[in-house]
Amino acid sequence: MRTDTHHLATVRNLGILAHVDAGKTTVTERILYATGATHRRGEVHDGTTVTDFDPQERERGITIFAAAVSCVWDGHRVNLIDTPGHVDFADEVERALRVLDGAVAVFDAVAGVEPQSEAVWRQADRHGVPRIAFVNKLDRPGADLDTAVESIRTRLHPAPLVVQLPIGAEDRFTGVVDLPHLRALVRDDGDGAVRRAPVPEDLREEALRRRRLLEEAVAALHPAALEEYCARSTLSAGTLTAALRDLTLSGEGLVVLCGSAYRDRGVEALLDAVVSYLPSPLDVPAVRGVHEGTGQERAADPGAPFAALVFKVQAAATGRLTCLRIYSGTVRKGDVVRDAGTGRTERVGRVLRVRADRHVPVDRAVAGDIVAVAGLKGARAGTTLCAPDAPLLLEPPGVADPVVSVAVEARGSAGTGRLAAALARLTEEDPSLVAGTDPETGQTVLSGMGELHLEVAVEQLRSVHGVEVTVGRPAVSHRETVGRGVAGTVYRHVKQDGGAGQFAHVVLDVEPWEGDFVFRSTVVGGRVPQEYVRAVRAGCLAALAEGPLGGHPVTGLRVTLTDGATHVKDSSEAAFRTAGRLGLREALRGCVMVLLEPVAEVTVTVPDDAVGVVLGDLAARRGRVSGSLARGGATVVTATVPLAGLFGYATRLRGRTQGRATFTARPTGYAPAPGSGPGAASGSGSVGADR
């Protein structure tokens, strides 16, 4: 048992998180090279990376699919997931974060915190994942560690704890000073090894000043460090390291390192920090699940009953692979495991250690490991696998609702069946993709998280599954909300067709609400029993699926059951559920309804001489500019733009700025569509937008 515990203490499951183009994949490649997992440095621009192995990733130069790799550093097993930075693939990040114990957040030393940096940071906050930060690209012109750290402080974390000082700047950046140990870490250009050396004389005073600031910041947050600081007026390297680990695990502090992954500066120190500060499976709380409605915990113990969560399913040359995080127990080749959701059992064909698209068979995997297994046919992302005699259902990762849809049609009648099979495979591998049939047109509709997401999916249909398709123009998913409500809508559900009848009488008030949906009852005197109140609520929820404007989902309303009546024989939960559903539909037809369209926050970085062109184009797309910031000969423009107005924007922006401008967009919710709102129509019972 002691050996198993030792194994768990030397495991680190972490993700690399960042904005697109901050250097996540290059950091991952340098980690693989530094640990000996690869023998040559993979480059994004050459298409030779290990983790971006998909042809589309190499062609586009971005990470699209979360890729797991495994390597060893200083006696520790490091299971690492390189996650996408583009907002369209945020669900890949969500699934990865669900199974990780820690993360490295990578920031561009010139740009600092960028929009998607903030988005993935908030995702990690929701999952309670401890993080350290790596400020990358210090070799770039305009790179500034202090400015990047200040953006982290103001936008992400109030207590960044900088543990390194750069040696040199921009193209003269050669290494870092390790502040806890007051030593220089410089790469020898001859053999490529990292040398520990005394702090350069011209940096010694600055290094001492920054170490004192680090000591003061740590002492202010950590009681044991404060005690030593008060007694000795300084902190030993051991106390400082231990306190930094505690603050990382609690989330009270954020260790910040720096370097240049492309030039191989600071990567070994980053790996040391991963081992020193980020948690092992023993440091995180026991996983919680349910069985027959009762909550249970499973400790990270290889001897406990097996429990694992599937976070990714992928097709490989050798067949279907199921990637999973093992929370308790042990799995071996030939073991029978149970799908906790369906109750089905399957046999594990092989257990594989993963390195992106390459896999090494292993005899077994234990609690704390992230591995792939072959031979499972029914498991999907979010499936819990467990021992057949010890069922446990774990909470699956959340899946965001799709916001963009395209119609897809196979070329030629022979391709129709192949298209259906290919779409089934796509949606199995990526749960954020949804395929269905439009009931009005009969078209096959593919829905996803953004235009790029759908472009990638369509290209996979062609290149991976061999299905030639034609694609219609993307359409966005609208919502409907209440602009002005109604009071006292009476609905009586009476049905008599022989035998027991149905009777339910409800009176509903509907009003706008800031949140999604709220239901309450103010009925007094027992006129509607509590079980019937719950049935009315269930009926109202069913009515929200289709609004009166165009059959879109309804949100942003509060429904109040103010009165009602029952029949001694004919009333039932089913009758009141029907009354709630049809009564709310009737009430919504009497409200002033507002059509909502999805909007996105767009950040455009554009040369100063092209700002006017960009602003004009954003205005033509109904964008509302919310701010602009000058940054080294360029302007960063932030605007809120309807998602429908962003179709084709990337091509348009490149053409109008000769390829010099870049942009990112992240969905931020919904806003009223033009001509929609309480002021767009008058009087109760009118509709605030055309069907």
Side-chain angles (χ1 to χ4, degrees):
M1 184 65 194
R2 190 169 54 215
T3 302
D4 287 334
T5 302
H6 174 72
H7 164 80
L8 290 172
T10 59
V11 171
R12 297 292 184 272
N13 295 316
L14 65 135
I16 306 291
L17 311 174
H19 184 90
V20 64
D21 204 33
K24 296 180 310 306
T25 300
T26 303
V27 169
T28 305
E29 293 297 322
R30 295 302 184 265
I31 286 175
L32 292 176
Y33 182 76
T35 58
T38 59
H39 301 292
R40 63 189 296 270
R41 297 178 178 91
E43 303 292 356
V44 173
H45 55 272
D46 290 338
T48 56
T49 56
V50 171
T51 53
D52 284 356
F53 57 85
D54 186 87
Q56 287 203 72
E57 293 179 308
R58 292 183 169 179
E59 180 183 336
R60 298 173 188 268
I62 61 171
T63 300
I64 295 172
F65 309 106
V69 293
S70 187
C71 54
V72 176
W73 178 257
D74 192 24
H76 290 70
R77 165 69 58 187
V78 179
N79 297 316
L80 188 154
I81 299 180
D82 178 24
T83 65
H86 197 285
V87 67
D88 280 20
F89 309 104
D91 254 36
E92 284 277 319
V93 182
E94 188 74 16
R95 288 190 291 277
L97 284 170
R98 176 63 179 81
V99 300
L100 294 173
D101 298 328
V104 175
V106 180
F107 301 95
D108 188 316
V110 178
V113 176
E114 297 174 271
Q116 190 61 9
S117 312
E118 195 165 354
V120 295
W121 187 273
R122 302 303 175 210
Q123 284 180 280
D125 278 344
R126 290 198 303 274
H127 289 274
V129 174
R131 279 143 282 172
I132 60 177
F134 182 69
V135 178
N136 191 28
K137 302 189 178 184
L138 275 175
D139 57 320
R140 285 185 59 195
D144 188 290
L145 175 62
D146 292 337
T147 302
V149 170
E150 188 55 35
S151 72
I152 293 172
R153 185 193 313 278
T154 55
R155 297 183 64 176
L156 300 181
H157 199 292
L161 304 169
V162 184
V163 298
Q164 293 178 341
L165 171 67
I167 300 175
E170 299 181 354
D171 60 350
R172 297 187 303 280
F173 172 65
T174 58
V176 298
V177 174
D178 173 11
L179 295 178
H181 298 89
L182 280 177
R183 63 193 179 191
L185 303 174
V186 181
R187 180 172 296 283
D188 188 318
D189 290 331
D191 60 8
V194 175
R195 308 291 185 201
R196 296 174 179 176
V199 178
E201 201 57 43
D202 60 336
L203 283 178
R204 186 159 187 80
E205 184 178 339
E206 178 67 6
L208 290 171
R209 183 184 75 83
R210 291 194 179 229
R211 192 185 198 276
R212 174 53 61 97
L213 291 174
L214 176 62
E215 291 173 342
E216 292 172 353
V218 169
L221 297 168
H222 194 278
L226 177 61
E227 188 176 327
E228 180 175 316
Y229 188 77
C230 290
R232 301 179 52 216
S233 298
T234 187
L235 294 177
S236 67
T239 299
L240 193 52
T241 300
L244 288 169
R245 176 176 172 79
D246 290 343
L247 294 172
T248 299
L249 297 185
S250 68
E252 295 176 76
L254 176 69
V255 171
V256 180
L257 301 98
C258 61
S260 166
Y262 179 67
R263 294 183 63 183
D264 238 339
R265 304 287 189 264
V267 176
E268 288 82 358
L270 174 61
L271 279 163
D272 289 338
V274 164
V275 168
S276 297
Y277 305 128
L278 290 179
S280 75
L282 294 176
D283 297 314
V284 298
V287 69
R288 290 189 59 83
V290 294
H291 175 54
E292 295 182 348
T294 304
Q296 297 182 13
E297 286 189 352
R298 291 270 174 92
D301 178 0
F306 176 68
L309 185 70
V310 176
F311 66 93
K312 189 175 181 64
V313 174
Q314 64 186 69
T318 54
R320 187 179 189 270
L321 293 181
T322 304
C323 300
L324 48 89
R325 160 69 188 267
I326 304 174
Y327 286 99
S328 68
T330 301
V331 65
R332 298 175 176 84
K333 176 182 177 180
D335 281 356
V336 174
V337 296
R338 174 175 176 169
D339 182 329
T342 65
R344 293 175 50 189
T345 57
E346 294 194 75
R347 188 175 298 276
V348 174
R350 290 178 298 156
V351 181
L352 305 165
R353 187 77 64 192
V354 181
R355 202 173 81 207
D357 60 339
R358 305 170 196 175
H359 314 94
V360 180
V362 293
D363 294 333
R364 65 171 190 160
V366 302
D369 277 340
I370 292 179
V371 294
V373 296
L376 305 185
K377 297 179 180 178
R380 304 286 187 270
T383 294
T384 300
L385 300 176
C386 57
D389 57 350
L392 185 72
L393 183 64
L394 305 178
E395 182 183 356
V399 179
D401 292 331
V403 294
V404 180
S405 302
V406 292
V408 291
E409 182 180 348
R411 292 181 184 171
S413 57
T416 304
R418 290 170 58 204
L419 174 61
L423 288 173
R425 289 281 297 277
L426 273 185
T427 54
E428 175 186 315
E429 294 181 13
D430 184 354
S432 58
L433 285 170
V434 176
T437 303
D438 188 315
E440 294 184 7
T441 65
Q443 289 179 305
T444 299
V445 176
L446 182 64
S447 305
M449 303 306 300
E451 194 176 8
L452 179 59
H453 190 202
L454 293 180
E455 279 182 21
V456 168
V458 168
E459 183 56 36
Q460 280 187 287
L461 288 175
R462 292 170 175 150
S463 60
V464 177
H465 300 284
V467 182
E468 284 299 321
V469 294
T470 56
V471 181
R473 188 178 188 278
V476 299
S477 300
H478 289 79
R479 296 286 186 271
E480 299 176 26
T481 192
V482 175
R484 188 161 57 243
V486 295
T489 299
V490 178
Y491 190 85
R492 287 169 59 87
H493 175 63
V494 182
K495 189 174 182 182
Q496 196 74 44
D497 53 2
Q502 294 186 28
F503 178 88
H505 175 96
V506 296
V507 182
L508 302 175
D509 289 353
V510 179
E511 58 189 316
W513 188 251
E514 286 297 322
D516 185 14
F517 168 70
V518 170
F519 178 88
R520 63 175 184 162
S521 171
T522 59
V523 178
V524 295
R527 290 176 60 81
V528 180
Q530 194 59 39
E531 62 269 24
Y532 294 168
V533 171
R534 288 194 293 268
V536 174
R537 183 184 186 277
C540 289
L541 278 171
L544 299 180
E546 294 184 3
L549 295 185
H552 311 294
V554 181
T555 186
L557 72 162
R558 180 167 72 175
V559 178
T560 305
L561 177 65
T562 61
D563 200 0
T566 62
H567 186 278
V568 66
K569 289 185 178 180
D570 293 345
S571 289
S572 63
E573 290 187 30
F576 272 89
R577 191 161 48 247
T578 301
R581 177 170 56 86
L582 299 179
L584 181 54
R585 282 187 178 179
E586 184 170 309
L588 290 176
R589 285 194 289 269
C591 295
V592 174
M593 299 298 292
V594 179
L595 184 68
L596 302 176
E597 62 179 346
V599 295
E601 181 187 78
V602 178
T603 302
V604 187
T605 303
V606 57
D608 290 339
D609 59 357
V611 171
V613 171
V614 168
L615 292 176
D617 192 39
L618 287 173
R621 296 170 186 271
R622 297 188 285 120
R624 296 195 314 276
V625 175
S626 55
S628 64
L629 175 69
R631 183 190 289 160
T635 300
V636 180
V637 177
T638 306
T640 300
V641 185
L643 203 59
L646 289 177
F647 295 140
Y649 183 60
T651 303
R652 178 87 165 183
L653 182 66
R654 283 196 298 268
R656 291 201 155 203
T657 62
Q658 289 78 49
R660 296 179 299 156
T662 59
F663 89 102
T664 59
R666 63 184 183 96
T668 54
Y670 288 82
S676 177
S682 59
S684 178
S686 58
V687 170
D690 294 335
R691 288 182 67 88

